[in-house]
Amino acid sequence: MSNLQSETIDQSRRRFLGAAAGAGAAVAGTAAAPAWGGSTLMDTMGSFFQNHYQRMSDEEIADAIGRIERRAKRRYDVDIICRDQPPQEDVVFGYALNISKCQGYRDCVSACVRENNLDRGSQMEYIRVLEMEEGSRNLEHSEHYYDPDTVPVEGKYYLPVQCMQCDNPPCVKACPVEATWMEPDGIVVVDYDWCIGCRYCMTACPYQARHFNWREPQIPSEDINRNTNYLGNRPRPRGVVEKCHFCTQRTREGRQPACQEACPTGARIFGNLLDPSSEIRYVLANKKVFRLKEELGTEPKFWYFTD
Amino acid sequence: MLLSFIRDAVASMFRGGRRYWLWLGFLALVLLAGLVAYGLQLSQGLIATGMSDQVSWGFYISNFAFLVGIAAAAVLLVIPAYVFHRKDIKSVVLIGEGLAVAAVLAAMLFVIVDLGRPDRILHMLPVIGRFNFPQSMLAWDVVVLSGYLLLNLAIPFYVHYCHYRQREPNFAAYFPFVVLAMFWAISIHTVTAFLFSSNTGRPFWHVALLGPRFIATAFVSGPALIIIVLQVLGRVTRYPIPASVIDTLALIMTVALQISLFFVGVELFTDFYNETAHAASVRYLYFGLDGLASLAPWVWTALLMNLVAVVILTINPLRRQLRLLNLACLLAFAGIWIEKGMGFVVPGFIPTPLGEVFEYTPTAVELIVSAGIWAFAALVFTLLAKASIAISLGDVSAERAEGEGSPVMASG
């Protein structure tokens, strides 16, 4: 497993180095001054005129990645590696969560925050673990900010909620500028450089899975995860919406998402829905599963089940 | 000729007595304050507002929804003027269209100041940007509002230009556009209602009654404003405002307010007779949830205002007294502004789809920016009305401009 991982990382790093060379050439050609820390007029203009992700050529994406990395250097004084990791062939990701096992530790939440470079200033979290009353699934009786000395609390159970990566995502439909869409591997992503910040997607989402950068994100430099992906955990600008992306920077390399790895109870099953031998397919075939707010027709690719 | 028309019209906007300039100065000052507050918001980000991930739209979008209604209500002058050929109403229809222009512009501004990245607004343009039409209801709103703005600029422009040249406008030439504008007016408010009612995750908005409710309330707040504005214009200008226009508008407003209140009752019954989880937002709005009820005093005040207004309007002898009618107009305008603004947009987010009750209060920045936009709307309307009245009275015309050999008028 670990061998496989390092191999895929190396492959993508090579891919990245090739892209960076292109970006370097472009910068040299336009006489940019790295001595400024990358904050050049060219970068500002480049960002302003940057096209939609799906309409950019490989060169333009390489240029954009160069700007992202220089911006991270300038803001956080950290050398990040931003890749443009494509979706894998014949893969559609799905998630299943065993609520009998979840104990409400919220290790998934903190792992997600670290992995995905979430704004510490506003305490943004992609995963919200709801403390539910036994015998009820009424979300309005859930406690979002439970803080007892120890969990689990008697008479409660825990329901982690994050982006459901809906197959019929109302957020995608709502966006007036197509800044968010579903990738071939089923992940709903955001082009942070295209989003106009109208927050209509947040209004449309029935799972409160989308989050807005109300101010410039604040992350201590030493806490930055330098391994980033373009449609994923790269540092975000102010004034745009972001959300869980099933850790594209990991899962598109064949690794597990950070929340899955962090879970100490083994409640989280993540995998390829198209692979009949995957664990998630086993769960869907053999457990009694349910999805949140299924009646809304959003077709979540996130299931819950019990032992 | 066209250039001298524009030149003379613009010149007439900036000619007036001391009180006129004081009014313009006051509006400019409020607008300036709004600009300063917006500058602050731009430098800090939307953190300067009271909005949050939980309540992600607030005072700005509330005002937006309300103003689209005001803009749509201009149709209430257009229909009797052009379809029923009411001469009295035709004499003020251009004023109504000026009001529509000001209201649409303000509505658009309220969306723009709500954007996290106003620098990327070009992404909305077709071709240069990527416009998610016809999927996104927000894209629809951009289309219908822009179209409505153009229609309400183009038709009065043509009519005024004809008046300026002292010719009768060619009815056949502009009537098709007038008909289009009528349907368009209904569409802007329907689309704005769909912007909210399309959200399946927000049961408070996800009701078919929303479109009709929006239209009904627009036909209250719009006439209420027009009645007041026409009276003011009747006092500060020489332009005659027929009393019959006020009567007709008051009657429309009466019926619309009765229907609006009926709609409120229908929704309250449906939500509370057998109360479901979907009624949580209504419960929050009127009674509060988890001990939090910051909107309740507002919505009850709005209900009370609308009830007093409907009593005045419904009883003929009361409505016919201009003072009481004006009181009813002020009450209904404020009542609908609360009900359809904060009382409608904000509870859609409370509780959140995951059941969290998290309240919202607008910050000073939001209030000042909003005041600035309202002042901008008033400024636009004042200038348009000034030119319109000058042209309609014949104070500004091609003949005069030629006769005096200069665009400057002797009288103002």
Side-chain angles (χ1 to χ4, degrees):
Chain A
M1 180 66 194
S2 63
N3 278 341
L4 186 77
Q5 270 180 21
S6 58
E7 188 184 305
T8 47
I9 287 176
D10 279 344
Q11 274 171 356
S12 50
R13 188 155 290 160
R14 270 198 296 280
R15 212 179 102 91
F16 155 73
L17 285 174
V27 168
T30 50
W36 293 28
S39 176
T40 60
L41 183 62
M42 282 308 295
D43 271 8
T44 309
M45 298 295 279
S47 298
F48 184 79
F49 289 108
Q50 185 175 316
N51 210 333
H52 188 281
Y53 171 82
Q54 291 173 320
R55 287 206 301 218
M56 280 195 282
S57 65
D58 288 350
E59 274 169 54
E60 285 170 326
I61 287 184
D63 286 350
I65 284 175
R67 285 192 291 272
I68 288 165
E69 291 176 345
R70 286 193 293 278
R71 187 168 186 279
K73 178 77 180 167
R74 197 163 71 239
R75 244 194 84 62
Y76 300 106
D77 195 26
V78 169
D79 292 302
I80 65 160
I81 297 167
C82 181
R83 276 174 305 225
D84 177 29
Q85 193 82 344
Q88 297 166 332
E89 295 275 320
D90 300 319
V91 171
V92 169
F93 289 120
Y95 221 134
L97 200 147
N98 186 344
I99 47 174
S100 315
K101 283 191 173 164
C102 179
Q103 305 289 306
Y105 298 144
R106 287 191 285 219
D107 285 356
C108 52
V109 178
S110 46
C112 169
V113 167
R114 285 193 304 273
E115 170 69 26
N116 288 307
N117 291 321
L118 297 195
D119 174 30
R120 312 298 204 272
S122 66
Q123 299 186 328
M124 189 193 290
E125 290 165 356
Y126 287 167
I127 306 172
R128 199 167 261 240
V129 182
L130 309 186
E131 189 180 66
M132 308 286 291
E133 280 170 32
E134 262 173 19
S136 165
R137 226 176 70 201
N138 188 342
L139 297 175
E140 264 146 46
H141 297 153
S142 65
E143 176 54 55
H144 292 229
Y145 307 102
Y146 63 90
D147 190 25
D149 290 334
T150 56
V151 283
V153 172
E154 187 72 25
K156 308 282 186 187
Y157 71 100
Y158 297 87
L159 187 77
V161 182
Q162 61 201 78
C163 176
M164 302 281 150
Q165 313 294 351
C166 303
D167 224 34
N168 181 23
C171 52
V172 168
K173 216 168 164 180
C175 178
V177 295
E178 298 178 22
T180 184
W181 65 91
M182 187 164 65
E183 288 270 287
D185 56 4
I187 302 176
V188 175
V189 295
V190 179
D191 182 351
Y192 313 119
D193 296 329
W194 192 258
C195 169
I196 59 171
C198 71
R199 308 187 297 291
Y200 193 26
C201 56
M202 297 172 73
T203 304
C205 175
Y207 304 100
Q208 213 187 322
R210 286 179 167 261
H211 307 272
F212 186 71
N213 288 286
W214 299 96
R215 67 170 111 198
E216 194 74 38
Q218 295 158 8
I219 313 164
S221 297
E222 61 274 19
D223 291 346
I224 295 262
N225 176 8
R226 302 195 302 174
N227 173 32
T228 73
N229 189 31
Y230 196 104
L231 298 173
N233 64 337
R234 67 174 160 109
R236 271 80 66 190
R238 188 181 81 186
V240 303
V241 169
E242 59 178 276
K243 61 182 282 296
C244 161
H245 42 80
F246 276 178
C247 286
T248 53
Q249 68 280 1
R250 293 166 146 258
T251 53
R252 285 182 173 181
E253 291 179 349
R255 299 168 65 200
Q256 287 285 317
C259 49
Q260 194 280 342
E261 256 181 34
C263 179
T265 68
R268 289 171 168 269
I269 312 288
F270 177 85
N272 181 6
L273 293 170
L274 300 185
D275 175 5
S277 63
S278 63
E279 202 180 350
I280 183 144
R281 284 287 292 270
Y282 176 85
V283 169
L284 295 184
N286 295 287
K287 299 288 182 179
K288 304 288 174 276
V289 300
F290 72 89
R291 295 184 289 180
L292 217 53
K293 305 197 187 204
E294 200 171 13
E295 71 276 13
L296 299 183
T298 52
E299 299 291 340
K301 293 194 287 288
F302 195 108
W303 288 264
Y304 297 91
F305 67 103
T306 52
D307 283 334
Chain B
M1 186 61 104
L2 192 64
L3 275 179
S4 71
F5 164 64
I6 295 171
R7 188 189 55 205
D8 289 357
V10 171
S12 73
M13 290 175 182
F14 297 98
R15 213 166 25 242
R18 203 166 64 99
R19 280 198 309 184
Y20 180 68
W21 278 103
L22 273 176
W23 170 241
L24 289 192
F26 165 72
L27 293 179
L29 218 60
V30 180
L31 177 57
L32 196 70
L35 280 172
V36 171
Y38 185 57
L40 195 76
Q41 182 186 305
L42 277 183
S43 69
Q44 294 181 352
L46 284 173
I47 190 77
T49 72
M51 292 183 278
S52 57
D53 278 359
Q54 286 87 349
V55 184
S56 47
W57 280 348
F59 200 60
Y60 294 151
I61 298 298
S62 302
N63 278 288
F64 158 77
F66 178 77
L67 273 161
V68 175
I70 298 290
V75 76
L76 296 176
L77 294 176
V78 172
I79 290 176
Y82 294 109
V83 178
F84 300 120
H85 301 290
R86 282 268 304 262
K87 284 240 162 63
D88 54 341
I89 291 184
K90 203 168 178 182
S91 72
V92 296
V93 73
L94 292 168
I95 308 267
E97 284 161 337
L99 203 62
V101 168
V104 174
L105 282 174
M108 287 171 153
L109 279 179
F110 269 115
V111 175
I112 290 171
V113 297
D114 192 61
L115 293 181
R117 298 304 298 238
D119 54 319
R120 296 180 184 168
I121 198 156
L122 294 180
H123 292 182
M124 282 226 207
L125 289 183
V127 188
I128 306 176
R130 268 181 85 136
F131 197 51
N132 191 12
F133 187 84
Q135 276 77 33
S136 169
M137 288 320 295
L138 201 52
W140 270 86
D141 229 343
V142 171
V143 170
V144 295
L145 287 181
S146 315
Y148 193 64
L149 180 63
L150 285 181
L151 281 171
N152 278 287
L153 283 173
I155 298 170
F157 187 91
Y158 169 72
V159 174
H160 280 122
Y161 183 52
C162 292
H163 287 168
Y164 177 78
R165 295 164 66 194
Q166 283 160 330
R167 291 179 188 178
E168 264 307 298
N170 182 357
F171 188 69
Y174 75 90
F175 187 65
F177 292 99
V178 170
V179 174
L180 184 63
M182 287 173 201
F183 286 99
W184 210 287
I186 304 299
S187 87
I188 62 167
H189 216 32
T190 309
V191 167
T192 304
F194 288 173
L195 187 74
F196 296 98
S197 70
S198 57
N199 295 295
T200 51
R202 313 269 174 194
F204 180 64
W205 299 335
H206 190 54
V207 287
L209 190 57
L210 206 60
R213 246 189 106 174
F214 262 40
I215 302 284
T217 50
F219 288 179
V220 177
S221 52
L225 181 62
I226 298 172
I227 288 172
I228 302 286
V229 166
L230 287 182
Q231 288 178 65
V232 171
L233 290 179
R235 287 200 176 190
V236 300
T237 71
R238 289 181 288 115
Y239 199 70
I241 305 293
S244 57
V245 175
I246 307 278
D247 287 346
T248 302
L249 286 172
L251 204 60
I252 295 173
M253 184 183 160
T254 304
V255 178
L257 186 53
Q258 289 164 344
I259 294 173
S260 297
L261 284 166
F262 171 67
F263 285 168
V264 171
V266 166
E267 290 213 343
L268 288 178
F269 169 81
T270 313
D271 279 325
F272 286 124
Y273 181 74
N274 270 327
E275 194 173 339
T276 70
H278 286 181
S281 293
V282 186
R283 175 157 288 281
Y284 164 75
L285 176 60
Y286 283 92
F287 306 105
L289 276 180
D290 298 357
L292 300 172
S294 67
L295 280 178
W298 290 94
V299 80
W300 285 108
T301 307
L303 194 61
L304 190 70
M305 285 171 151
N306 287 337
L307 284 171
V308 174
V310 84
V311 168
I312 295 174
L313 291 169
T314 307
I315 300 171
N316 272 352
L318 298 184
R319 186 180 70 240
R320 294 228 171 89
Q321 294 179 41
L322 203 55
R323 252 192 219 168
L324 282 178
L325 174 65
N326 286 339
L327 175 67
C329 286
L330 292 174
L331 286 174
F333 186 83
I336 299 294
W337 180 71
I338 295 171
E339 183 198 305
K340 191 176 184 178
M342 289 278 283
F344 165 74
V345 173
V346 175
F349 295 97
I350 305 171
T352 68
L354 297 186
E356 183 186 1
V357 179
F358 190 93
E359 291 200 299
Y360 159 82
T361 315
T363 59
V365 168
E366 277 170 286
L367 298 179
I368 298 169
V369 168
S370 301
I373 295 176
W374 277 96
F376 173 77
L379 195 61
V380 167
F381 173 73
T382 304
L383 297 176
L384 289 177
K386 187 75 167 57
S388 172
I389 288 173
I391 294 166
S392 299
L393 287 175
D395 290 347
V396 174
S397 70
E399 202 183 341
R400 282 210 180 200
E402 277 166 28
E404 292 169 20
S406 123
V408 180
M409 297 293 100
S411 62

